[in-house]
Amino acid sequence: MKIAHFIQSIDILTGGPARSVTHLIKKIISNPSFQIYLITKKTSNPILLEFEGINNLIYFFKKRRNLNIIFNKLKSEEIDILHGHGIWQYTVHKMSRFAQRNSIPYIITTRGMLEPWALKQNSFKKKLALLIYQKKNIREASVIHATADMESKQIRNLGFKNPIAVIPNGININQYPKDYPIKSKNPKKILFLSRIHFKKGIENLIDAWRLIDNEKKKNWVIEIVGKGETNYTEELRKTISQHKLSDKIFLKKPVYGNEKIKLYREASIFILPTYSENFGIVVAEALASYTPVITTKGAPWEDLQKHNCGWWIEIGVKPLKNILDNVLLKSNTELINMGTNGRKLIEKKYTMDVVSKQMLQLYNWIKNRHIKKPNFINFDD
């Protein structure tokens, strides 16, 4: 079966979607029954330049008009399914129209871009885009792919009646050592590692930390690691300095690969105080590193509570302050047990082996509707 994936960018600086899409494809192409094409915009630091095997290709385009050349190649290849990652972007829009004109089934992975918080950002432009083209592109998709039940419900609330496949993002568990790590003890570390953006709730974290009793947090520091716009990052530095927290909260440059995993494994707690996430791949990466997680109900991580490997809290300063007051008093034994639970959860539910098998089931079902529907696909009642 031939599958063509479309994503705006796989640049290393673009965050979770670029990682999850490329990791998924690399796993899928280990199955010789599938031939994969990836179409994406040319950038300076792509996560990878080519796939293994001559039949699996990446097409980088520089300008929009180059897409027409790529579409002609795909048409001659008789592609079975198109899979677009994200909405609003020109790349996935053109994919949708190409699929409609040529009667090719296609999947839209919404990547959290239909969540209430996301729709409020640049709301006028998004309402206009929905009216002009985006609603039709989504409505005509053979399947909408959501990464969590919470996202699936939000899509249904917008009136879309397509089949929805709920398949989480996965991680390559083999990259994360199986042995329990040596955690930093003097001081203990709370790690934020993600894109530096207003959406991530970093100001709430700073304000919450400011309100915690000095004696309680004396042996703890917060490391905020990631890439963001210069002006925004400098505003965060000023805020930290104004509150005299420069000896407790550190802004650091982004890291990748083994260096990133090392930070996850050193931390006693990982924190993502976000306003909105469709998944939050960094949560899975932290759990794979034996690190309990605090995140908000803006992210679909109820599993943290169900499996006793973290805390799933309301959005805002007060909930953050309250949970940190509690977490800072946790014993090493309690944190070790929670970290171990987190690792077990990832091994059971969120590895790339598990996720890729589900995605292949989805492709097979779209191509052969007479076969039994996978249980992760739901229809509008």
Side-chain angles (χ1 to χ4, degrees):
M1 192 183 303
K2 296 179 180 180
I3 315 291
H5 289 257
F6 290 75
I7 184 171
Q8 186 70 10
S9 171
I10 59 167
D11 195 272
I12 198 168
L13 296 177
T14 58
R19 295 203 303 278
S20 61
V21 170
T22 51
H23 290 173
L24 172 66
I25 293 174
K26 287 170 74 174
K27 187 64 182 178
I28 288 174
I29 61 178
S30 64
N31 185 322
S33 299
F34 286 82
Q35 184 174 344
I36 299 295
Y37 302 83
L38 175 61
I39 295 87
T40 188
K41 191 173 182 180
K42 184 176 178 61
T43 60
S44 55
N45 294 297
I47 290 175
L48 71 167
L49 291 170
E50 61 183 9
F51 293 122
E52 293 181 8
I54 58 174
N55 291 326
N56 304 293
L57 301 173
I58 302 178
Y59 291 116
F60 291 100
F61 66 91
K62 290 183 179 180
K63 297 180 180 180
R64 290 182 175 185
R65 64 175 178 267
N66 299 141
L67 274 172
N68 292 328
I69 299 172
I70 294 172
F71 283 129
N72 287 334
K73 290 181 180 179
L74 294 179
K75 193 171 182 179
S76 67
E77 289 286 341
E78 299 183 347
I79 298 294
D80 293 292
I81 298 171
L82 305 177
H83 189 161
H85 300 269
I87 62 175
W88 316 122
Q89 298 102 335
Y90 182 81
T91 307
V92 177
H93 166 57
K94 291 293 287 185
M95 178 211 78
S96 302
R97 288 302 168 89
F98 173 76
Q100 293 161 20
R101 287 194 302 268
N102 293 279
S103 301
I104 302 172
Y106 68 97
I107 302 166
I108 294 283
T109 298
T110 54
R111 297 284 169 190
M113 295 178 187
L114 291 176
E115 292 177 6
W117 187 92
L119 288 174
K120 289 177 183 177
Q121 315 308 308
N122 298 315
S123 60
F124 176 77
K125 288 183 178 179
K126 288 178 179 177
K127 286 178 182 177
L128 189 61
L130 280 169
L131 182 65
I132 295 172
Y133 68 90
Q134 192 64 78
K135 188 173 288 187
K136 175 179 170 61
N137 289 348
I138 298 169
R139 191 175 58 243
E140 294 290 324
S142 301
V143 172
I144 301 171
H145 168 219
T147 54
D149 288 328
M150 189 168 81
E151 185 181 14
S152 174
K153 291 174 184 175
Q154 290 163 345
I155 293 168
R156 286 281 181 244
N157 288 341
L158 291 171
F160 293 106
K161 300 183 181 299
N162 319 47
I164 298 179
V166 180
I167 303 174
N169 289 329
I171 64 170
N172 183 358
I173 195 68
N174 296 328
Q175 293 180 341
Y176 298 81
K178 196 162 187 176
D179 60 303
Y180 190 88
I182 298 173
K183 300 288 185 179
S184 175
K185 294 181 179 179
N186 191 24
K188 293 182 177 180
K189 293 181 180 179
I190 297 173
L191 175 66
F192 169 97
L193 191 154
S194 190
R195 187 163 54 107
I196 306 296
H197 189 276
F198 170 77
K199 170 186 173 182
K200 304 295 181 178
I202 301 169
E203 291 98 332
N204 289 345
L205 175 59
I206 295 169
D207 286 342
W209 193 251
R210 178 173 60 89
L211 297 174
I212 295 171
D213 183 75
N214 287 332
E215 184 65 22
K216 189 177 291 186
K217 63 188 179 187
K218 68 178 181 180
N219 193 41
W220 289 84
V221 297
I222 297 175
E223 292 186 348
I224 298 172
V225 181
K227 173 74 173 177
E229 291 184 2
T230 302
N231 290 342
Y232 179 67
T233 303
E234 285 306 310
E235 285 298 316
L236 290 178
R237 290 189 192 279
K238 288 179 183 178
T239 301
I240 292 167
S241 178
Q242 286 169 358
H243 293 309
K244 298 180 180 180
L245 295 173
S246 299
D247 61 335
K248 287 290 185 179
I249 302 179
F250 302 94
L251 283 172
K252 297 189 174 183
K253 294 179 180 180
V255 294
Y256 308 100
N258 291 333
E259 191 176 352
K260 179 181 72 173
I261 293 171
K262 181 174 180 288
L263 288 184
Y264 280 132
R265 285 170 61 82
E266 285 178 354
S268 292
I269 299 293
F270 182 83
I271 191 162
L272 183 67
T274 184
Y275 286 100
S276 177
E277 302 286 331
N278 74 298
F279 184 72
I281 194 70
V282 291
V283 173
E285 291 172 345
L287 293 175
S289 304
Y290 294 91
T291 302
V293 173
I294 300 170
T295 195
T296 70
K297 292 182 180 179
W301 277 97
E302 188 178 0
D303 272 350
L304 296 175
Q305 291 182 177
K306 287 181 178 178
H307 296 268
N308 189 30
C309 55
W311 302 267
W312 196 48
I313 65 171
E314 298 295 335
I315 297 168
V317 174
K318 186 175 180 180
L320 269 175
K321 192 263 183 185
N322 290 342
I323 200 64
L324 286 168
D325 272 333
N326 176 272
V327 170
L328 296 182
L329 297 178
K330 292 287 183 185
S331 69
N332 289 335
T333 300
E334 288 177 292
L335 294 177
I336 288 170
N337 289 338
M338 294 182 78
T340 302
N341 290 341
R343 173 73 184 209
K344 289 178 180 177
L345 170 63
I346 296 302
E347 290 175 348
K348 179 181 179 181
K349 188 174 178 180
Y350 294 103
T351 67
M352 196 54 72
D353 283 340
V354 173
V355 170
S356 64
K357 285 177 183 177
Q358 292 178 321
M359 194 61 72
L360 294 183
Q361 283 181 276
L362 174 60
Y363 293 151
N364 280 319
W365 180 77
I366 291 173
K367 184 67 175 173
N368 305 288
R369 284 295 182 99
H370 61 277
I371 66 175
K372 183 179 178 181
K373 177 182 72 68
N375 59 13
F376 53 79
I377 298 175
N378 66 73
F379 286 86
D380 185 47
D381 295 328

